[in-house]
Amino acid sequence: DVVMTQSPLSLPVTLGQPASISCRSSQSLVYSNGNTYLYWFQQRPGQSPRRLIYKVSNRDSGVPDRFSGSGSGTDFTLRISRVEAEDVGVYYCMQGTHWPPTFGGGTKVEIK
Amino acid sequence: QLQLQESGPGLVKPSETLSLTCSVSGGSISSSSYYWGWIRQPPGKGLEFIGAISYSGNTFYNPSLKSRVTISVDTSKNQFSLRLSSVTDADTAVYYCARRAGSSWADFDYWGQGSLVTVSS
């Protein structure tokens, strides 16, 4: 299985400051059709995961533009330009290029 | 607005079979555009893909669980179901049902609220 490694495990951030989460895969996530199937999910406390970003850098409808995704190959990043209180939660990357789909271990974003 | 809702027993004995149903509302499960999946999360831990099914009954299982998993669909009830046999305490988790859109097995755009299943005697 493709191993997805996220860092850091925990990310204390001051309100209004930027945050960055890294996700690295054990194999390239570029599919044979040229697409890269790397997704980001947010899980707020006590809630179900919510898709934020699809195919590396596309924001879902309703996702604030302070969230952005980037990367290629095996190295990906989720950035929050200015952290707000509602951003607290655990963020997961997930790959859908290789079978079976696999998740990263999660990064917990908390307010300092 | 599409909604998914898991239901089933919250407590299962070791070696028995876990059974959950996901009811879909606000949209039809009988669409060739989507697959319907199950994902689980042990308490305090990360997420694991279990498997998925198409409306026509094509199934796709995570190899790590394949020998114990059965996913089925009932289009007349707009529901799909998960059965996991020979459970142990390692199967204690919140089980989510979700819709897979697009062309990728990570493309889960709608999720249920989750159902906690505890394996204990």
Side-chain angles (χ1 to χ4, degrees), chain A residues 7-77:
Chain A
S7 61
L9 204 62
S10 177
L11 185 55
V13 186
T14 301
L15 286 172
Q17 293 301 301
S20 181
I21 299 169
S22 169
C23 175
R24 290 190 170 138
S25 57
S26 60
Q27 299 178 38
S28 172
L29 298 187
V30 180
Y31 193 61
S32 55
N33 62 7
N35 286 326
T36 300
Y37 296 112
L38 185 283
Y39 297 71
W40 288 96
F41 294 85
Q42 173 195 61
Q43 188 174 31
R44 290 171 170 153
Q47 294 188 12
S48 309
R50 165 200 182 196
R51 195 181 69 182
L52 290 180
I53 302 282
Y54 59 96
K55 289 193 285 185
V56 181
S57 58
N58 299 279
R59 266 192 311 277
D60 266 276
S61 174
V63 174
D65 60 7
R66 64 179 180 274
F67 288 92
S68 64
S70 63
S72 63
T74 61
D75 202 349
F76 304 92
T77 302

Side-chain angles (χ1 to χ4, degrees), chain A residues 37 39 43 48 51 92 99, chain B residues 41 61 96 104 107 112-113:
Chain A
Y37 296 112
Y39 297 71
Q43 188 174 31
S48 309
R51 195 181 69 182
Y92 295 93
W99 185 261
Chain B
Q41 184 172 36
Y61 300 138
Y96 295 101
S104 157
D107 208 352
Q113 64 183 31

